[in-house]
Amino acid sequence: MKEFSFFSPGTLDEALTLMNQYKGKASVIAGGTDIVLELNDRSHHPDYIVDISKIKELRYVKVVDGIVRIGALSTFTDLENDPYLRDHVKSLYSACYYVGSPQIRNLGTIGGNVVNASVAGDTPTAFISLDATVVLRSAAGKREMKLTDFYGGPGKTELEKDELLTEIYFEAPTEQMATAYTKLGKRKALVIVVIGLAVLLEKDCNNICSKAQVVIGAVARYPQRLPLIEHYLVGKPVTKETFDGCRDLFSQTVYEMIPTRASVGYKKESVKGVASKTFDSILSDFSLCGVEE
Amino acid sequence: MEKIKIAFNLNDQDVSIETMPNKRLLDMLREDFNCTSVKEGCGEGECGACTVLRNGEPVTSCTMLAGQVQGERLLTLEGLSKNGELDILQKTFMEAGAVQCGFCTPGMILSAKALLMKNPHPSRDEIRRALSGNLCRCTGYTKIFKAVEMAIEE
Amino acid sequence: MSDRDFSVLGQSVIRKDALSKVLGEAKFAADYKFEGMLYGGVFRSTVPHALIKHFDASKALALPGVACVLTAKDIPGKNRTGIIIKDEPCLVDDKVRRVGDAIAIVAADTPEQVNEALDLMEVEYELLEPIFTVERALEEDSPKIHGATNVHAKKHLECGDVDAAFAKCDVIVEHTYNTSMLTHMFIEPDAGIARYEDKIMTVYCSTQNPHYDRADVAGVLGLPNNQVRIVQVTTGGGFGGKLDISVQCHIALLSHFTGKPVKMVRSRKESTNVSAKRHPMTMKAKTGATKDGKIQAVEVYMTGDTGAYASYGPAVITRAVVHCMGPYEVPNVRVDAVFTYTNNPMAGAFRGFGVPQVAYCHEGQMNAIAKELNMDPIELRLLNAHKIGTTIATGQVLEESVGFKETLIQAAAKAKEVM
């Protein structure tokens, strides 16, 4: 590990001051589960490290006026243990539940997972299906943008060098909505995602799908909304038949996203099972919360 | 590069050190505090051999910088037995034959300890999930799960 | 036996080393420290097959804390190591044969200085055609990796009259099986520490093969065996992957040269890149049976890729040939095997020594025959299974302890419970 100077600010203001002062020369460490590897193998060697893990004010999950707000330094474990998310935002809960190992979930932060923009990130897929917004702060001020606008490719985001992602928020799903996330990997635990599929579905009183937000992760360079599938679902009855009817469309969509990739043969078939599992969970949630089918 | 001062609690003792910041928690524990039970198996948070408990929660010390433990409470396997008395998990790991080469053992015991501190009566599935971040290569998972179950019974 | 009072036999006993391991006190190679110790590192090739035109370590040597950089010409003894065939240079002299070949070694005061020094070393290659397949290795015009041929081992096994037997078979199945390269992934990466005192070189290391290590270290240092001591310290798994030399010769050289203890601990990446692998094999098999299900003849042609160095290849080929009929009586057998060098990672010993590879082949063939004859695959196996008195293709008579049938019957019963 090459040399660097280390700062561990206790407040957001201090951190933003440091980010402004060492703009472009400082790297941020939160959970550290990605950056420490890069520091250790010397592929990344900033002059300054700003450790934001001690900023307690950025670690929270709260629901205020119908908006779910998550502090960037909340860990996967924090979210997995949050009763509101477990009961009402199953997609995000599942995305956290299946990340890495207990050790990684205790360290890794939501902000880190979003900012890293890894092709294999779990929570960004769930967040995009929830149409989430990120809050970016710098010494100069604050700006917000939809997560869909935040990504530019693997490791690329709109985050400026003096900015910190401080919060991610989205509208709390209503009683007429259900969400789900399915992770396909090579093992049951400690596994990198091969396909991640997150869905938010809303139905009206006649059991007709009135809104669908479907996002696939680990296929393209960053999680993608699937407008063709969403369009197919809206206006149709929320039934197993409807969902079964779009399995081939999923397959075709994945094929068109990565026609030349070696994994396309596997992914275009397996996505059908991933879709079925996700929609089974949605259907089961709707029946559990007592909305008439 | 300036040295940094880190004060924390290690195995029930308050300690402090002045050190260069460009080292991992794993390196600091092994080199500066001689806690060589903390093993480096993969160096990228996959194998769990470097697991330590931070405020009672298992974390991989190879994915943390030394400076990040300022003010925290750490437990390594060296600190588990008290006054010469083995922890129950140390006993059951021996009795169940859950130790072979022994390289994964420190992390494995600490992950199990963290589980039992939070959940004194875990199911087999809960044990499996709690130990999913600790790899054993000598094929001992069955005996390791058995060892944890024996510790519950005692 | 059950009425005898044994203290160990038939009892669950606690391992002697379990206490030190649950206390975290057991010392593995990386846990050792000696006063005044240096750290070592290896500069490795990034190309699979090349001549070294130029190597420059002057910038590395100028770094503070760097004690020495050694290359092949600094080796006082023989620059060849290896388990069966001494074909692996301790440090590259004539040419690079794989990605990860050791070109130079460095000792410095801290691991960070070692890494800095490795970053500053410069090498210029003249690239040679790399060989990545057995097929290319066997072609006449292919470049030769060692000596005049790329074949490092060949075996032939024959009994009975194979051609006549096939002529009488009711069914014949022919299939080709490929197995992949595997790595042991022992959880403790290779590590060791060498100390040269009173003209005795002592190497404490993670190893499965201390006596072989001693011969290689002594050979490289040009010392008699009685001046080299290898101490196998608590070792974190091996599965065959720690039979080959790893850090031993390199740390011994650095310690010999500097007069100080030298420690080397491989990263997971380095360990995975250069430790031995399971031989990838291709098996072309022809199996014939009469319609009663009796196997009459087996013919196999197999190739194996041992990579850049032979390691345990010559032993693996023998085991693969002898076992490729599986635990089945086959009166007529013809097996030919060829293992070649390539510029792939070195393959060596790995739990089973070639037997797991051929199991894919003989079990695949048994299933194929069962399908062809419309027989139950378990029945087919029981019909042909080894038993006491069986003569196998090598002429050996199995005189005792042949438990295959009972095992298969019990396994099949167990399988029915869950299927």
Side-chain angles (χ1 to χ4, degrees):
Chain A
M1 204 179 293
K2 295 193 180 181
E3 297 190 353
F4 54 74
S5 294
F6 182 85
F7 300 102
S8 191
T11 66
L12 178 59
D13 284 344
E14 286 173 59
L16 293 176
T17 306
L18 287 164
M19 295 303 288
N20 186 46
Q21 190 177 346
Y22 300 117
K23 197 172 178 174
K25 292 181 186 166
S27 284
V28 171
I29 180 169
T33 56
D34 286 300
I35 192 174
V36 174
L37 275 50
E38 295 168 12
L39 294 172
N40 192 51
D41 72 12
R42 307 156 65 81
S43 60
H44 184 57
H45 39 82
D47 295 334
Y48 302 93
I49 289 279
V50 179
D51 169 27
I52 58 170
S53 66
K54 304 285 191 233
I55 305 176
K56 296 205 170 57
E57 62 195 281
L58 293 182
R59 193 167 172 182
Y60 55 84
V61 178
K62 57 191 178 192
V63 188
V64 184
D65 300 335
I67 304 286
V68 182
R69 296 186 177 275
I70 298 171
L73 289 176
S74 307
T75 65
F76 297 110
T77 303
D78 291 343
L79 267 59
E80 186 191 325
N81 289 338
D82 187 86
Y84 174 82
L85 295 178
R86 188 188 60 218
D87 295 341
H88 298 97
V89 196
K90 212 170 157 189
S91 57
L92 182 57
Y93 166 79
S94 301
C96 294
Y97 186 91
Y98 290 107
V99 165
S101 63
Q103 290 91 323
I104 298 300
R105 292 192 293 273
N106 285 336
L107 287 170
T109 65
I110 299 307
N113 204 225
V114 170
V115 166
N116 253 340
S118 158
V119 174
D122 286 291
T123 64
T125 307
F127 277 126
I128 292 176
S129 76
L130 296 161
D131 199 23
T133 300
V134 289
V135 178
L136 312 175
R137 297 276 300 267
S138 69
K142 170 177 146 178
R143 59 189 185 124
E144 299 189 356
M145 67 174 73
K146 288 285 183 192
L147 192 50
T148 39
D149 300 324
F150 184 64
Y151 287 127
K156 285 198 192 116
T157 69
E158 292 293 319
L159 193 72
E160 294 293 341
K161 288 184 163 53
D162 61 342
E163 278 181 320
L164 288 176
L165 184 152
T166 55
E167 183 184 90
I168 185 155
Y169 70 84
F170 54 87
E171 280 181 33
T174 64
E175 287 293 307
Q176 276 67 46
M177 292 178 184
T179 72
Y181 175 78
T182 304
K183 174 176 186 167
L184 176 70
K186 289 181 181 169
R187 298 178 296 271
K188 285 182 183 163
L190 203 73
V191 66
I192 281 181
V193 61
V194 173
I195 294 180
L197 185 68
V199 172
L200 174 145
L201 217 72
E202 180 189 63
K203 65 177 189 174
D204 64 17
C205 50
N206 299 315
N207 197 41
I208 300 298
C209 174
S210 48
K211 187 188 227 180
Q213 290 168 186
V214 180
V215 180
I216 196 158
V219 174
R221 296 181 303 154
Y222 46 93
Q224 300 281 321
R225 289 273 295 257
L226 301 179
L228 276 178
I229 309 250
E230 294 175 356
H231 185 73
Y232 168 91
L233 292 168
V234 172
K236 291 204 173 54
V238 177
T239 61
K240 184 135 184 63
E241 290 67 41
T242 298
F243 296 141
D244 285 348
C246 67
R247 281 163 58 99
D248 288 338
L249 193 53
F250 267 103
S251 188
Q252 189 190 327
T253 306
V254 166
Y255 178 77
E256 281 163 10
M257 287 167 88
I258 49 166
T260 58
R261 206 97 66 74
S263 58
V264 66
Y266 178 74
K267 288 192 175 180
K268 80 178 169 55
E269 288 306 312
S270 54
V271 71
K272 295 181 198 168
V274 172
S276 293
K277 233 181 133 182
T278 314
F279 287 127
D280 284 350
S281 165
I282 296 263
L283 279 174
S284 130
D285 267 20
F286 273 139
S287 65
L288 280 179
C289 68
V291 180
E292 294 289 315
E293 283 207 7
Chain B
M1 180 172 67
E2 278 178 41
K3 282 193 172 182
I4 51 170
K5 191 168 180 208
I6 312 167
F8 61 107
N9 184 284
L10 175 62
N11 297 332
D12 280 335
Q13 291 199 329
D14 290 328
V15 295
S16 71
I17 182 176
E18 248 188 60
T19 181
M20 302 299 258
N22 60 334
K23 59 172 80 170
R24 301 169 298 175
L25 173 59
L26 166 74
D27 304 320
M28 179 174 77
L29 290 173
R30 288 178 57 83
E31 287 158 22
D32 300 316
F33 293 95
N34 211 27
C35 289
T36 52
S37 76
V38 188
K39 304 295 186 198
E40 178 166 5
C42 69
E44 48 187 59
E46 291 284 334
C47 79
C50 68
T51 299
V52 300
L53 302 192
R54 181 189 63 172
N55 306 327
E57 299 281 356
V59 293
T60 39
S61 60
C62 75
T63 61
M64 289 178 73
L65 290 179
Q68 294 189 286
V69 297
Q70 169 65 35
E72 312 274 7
R73 192 175 175 80
L74 294 191
L75 180 73
T76 71
L77 189 61
E78 283 88 349
L80 192 56
S81 59
K82 295 277 182 290
N83 309 317
E85 178 72 17
L86 292 182
D87 185 85
I88 180 67
L89 280 162
Q90 291 173 309
K91 288 183 198 160
T92 58
F93 265 66
M94 291 205 296
E95 284 161 14
V99 177
Q100 193 173 324
C101 87
F103 200 82
C104 73
T105 305
M108 205 64 90
I109 291 179
L110 288 174
S111 285
K113 184 70 190 172
L115 170 68
L116 296 185
M117 288 192 300
K118 256 204 321 214
N119 177 0
H121 296 279
S123 65
R124 175 58 77 106
D125 277 349
E126 286 168 331
I127 296 170
R128 290 168 66 98
R129 181 165 160 79
L131 299 185
S132 63
N134 294 83
L135 300 186
C136 164
R137 289 293 298 155
C138 304
T139 314
Y141 293 116
T142 305
K143 288 176 176 177
I144 290 166
F145 299 150
K146 177 80 189 147
V148 180
E149 284 168 347
M150 282 162 66
I152 302 170
E153 287 160 16
E154 299 254 344
Chain C
M1 250 169 54
S2 57
D3 53 346
R4 296 278 299 274
D5 185 22
F6 291 112
S7 62
V8 172
L9 253 180
Q11 309 290 320
S12 268
V13 291
I14 291 178
R15 295 174 62 97
K16 280 181 74 175
D17 54 354
L19 180 63
S20 68
K21 287 174 176 174
V22 299
L23 285 168
E25 289 172 356
K27 280 174 89 178
F28 293 73
D31 304 337
Y32 280 76
K33 278 179 196 169
F34 291 126
E35 192 67 33
M37 156 181 107
L38 302 175
Y39 293 85
V42 185
F43 181 79
R44 296 186 179 279
S45 68
T46 52
V47 297
H49 202 190
L51 302 174
I52 294 181
K53 301 301 289 176
H54 184 67
F55 173 75
D56 184 1
S58 54
K59 286 182 196 158
L61 280 164
L63 270 183
V66 172
C68 68
V69 175
L70 305 181
T71 60
K73 49 183 193 304
D74 300 305
I75 292 177
K78 274 181 264 168
N79 186 15
R80 284 295 181 277
T81 64
I83 296 292
I84 296 169
I85 305 173
K86 301 275 177 211
D87 60 1
E88 183 179 2
C90 175
L91 292 168
V92 170
D93 44 16
D94 53 346
K95 64 173 178 175
V96 164
R97 292 181 175 83
R98 63 164 167 177
V99 172
D101 259 350
I103 293 170
I105 46 179
V106 56
D109 290 337
T110 69
E112 185 53 26
Q113 288 164 349
V114 168
N115 287 330
E116 288 282 341
L118 293 174
D119 278 356
L120 292 173
M121 292 184 199
E122 291 163 12
V123 65
E124 202 182 304
Y125 300 109
E126 180 184 325
L127 298 181
L128 302 173
E129 181 201 331
I131 299 180
F132 296 132
T133 65
V134 168
E135 290 72 29
R136 179 66 186 134
L138 288 172
E139 279 166 8
E140 246 173 54
D141 68 338
S142 66
K144 302 298 174 261
I145 296 166
H146 297 271
T149 169
N150 287 326
V151 172
H152 84 81
K154 248 183 167 167
K155 290 279 171 191
H156 175 74
L157 173 66
E158 187 156 355
C159 77
D161 186 338
V162 176
D163 299 321
F166 273 124
K168 287 181 205 154
C169 285
D170 298 308
V171 289
I172 293 176
V173 294
E174 289 185 76
H175 290 291
T176 301
Y177 302 85
N178 291 297
T179 63
S180 55
M181 177 181 291
L182 297 175
T183 190
H184 310 74
M185 210 54 82
F186 33 77
I187 194 161
E188 177 211 20
D190 320 73
I193 181 162
R195 184 157 65 164
Y196 191 51
E197 273 182 349
D198 303 327
K199 297 201 171 165
I200 302 285
M201 175 60 67
T202 307
V203 179
Y204 304 82
C205 56
S206 176
T207 180
Q208 294 179 268
N209 235 358
H211 43 304
Y212 279 77
D213 294 348
R214 181 177 66 165
D216 275 345
V217 170
V220 166
L221 293 182
L223 292 176
N225 275 353
N226 66 2
Q227 287 175 24
V228 176
R229 186 170 162 241
I230 305 287
V231 181
Q232 186 205 5
V233 299
T234 307
T235 294
F239 321 122
K242 286 180 182 166
L243 288 165
D244 299 279
I245 210 86
S246 64
V247 301
Q248 296 89 334
C249 294
H250 292 153
I251 51 178
L253 270 172
L254 290 168
S255 180
H256 191 254
F257 191 88
T258 60
K260 292 182 176 174
V262 178
K263 176 169 167 173
M264 211 182 261
V265 181
R266 284 185 182 165
S267 68
R268 172 59 58 190
K269 189 176 171 185
E270 184 179 18
S271 171
T272 307
N273 280 347
V274 302
S275 61
K277 304 286 170 274
R278 188 188 287 291
H279 284 80
M281 284 171 53
T282 297
M283 293 148 283
K284 198 166 172 278
K286 180 177 173 186
T287 305
T290 39
K291 56 178 179 284
D292 59 356
K294 286 295 280 181
I295 305 294
Q296 301 298 339
V298 166
E299 184 174 17
V300 178
Y301 172 69
M302 63 173 83
T303 58
D305 176 0
T306 206
Y309 304 105
S311 178
Y312 273 93
V316 169
I317 192 173
T318 307
R319 293 284 291 272
V321 165
V322 169
H323 287 271
C324 75
M325 286 68 66
Y328 308 110
E329 293 182 333
V330 186
N332 304 285
V333 170
R334 183 159 59 223
V335 186
D336 280 286
V338 180
F339 275 28
T340 70
Y341 289 116
T342 64
N343 297 111
N344 289 325
M346 173 181 88
F350 190 155
R351 280 194 163 184
F353 266 76
V355 179
Q357 288 95 317
V358 297
Y360 282 98
C361 173
H362 58 69
E363 294 310 308
Q365 289 294 91
M366 291 305 273
N367 285 346
I369 290 276
K371 197 174 174 192
E372 202 72 21
L373 288 171
N374 203 19
M375 261 182 95
D376 179 84
I378 303 282
E379 285 305 312
L380 177 79
R381 284 169 170 82
L382 290 173
L383 182 68
N384 291 285
H386 280 173
K387 52 184 180 290
I388 288 179
T390 296
T391 304
I392 64 168
T394 56
Q396 182 187 354
V397 181
L398 305 180
E399 288 172 341
E400 52 191 325
S401 190
V402 185
F404 177 51
K405 273 191 175 182
E406 294 93 305
T407 308
L408 186 57
I409 289 165
Q410 288 191 27
K414 200 77 191 164
K416 278 191 188 124
E417 282 176 23
V418 294
M419 286 191 315

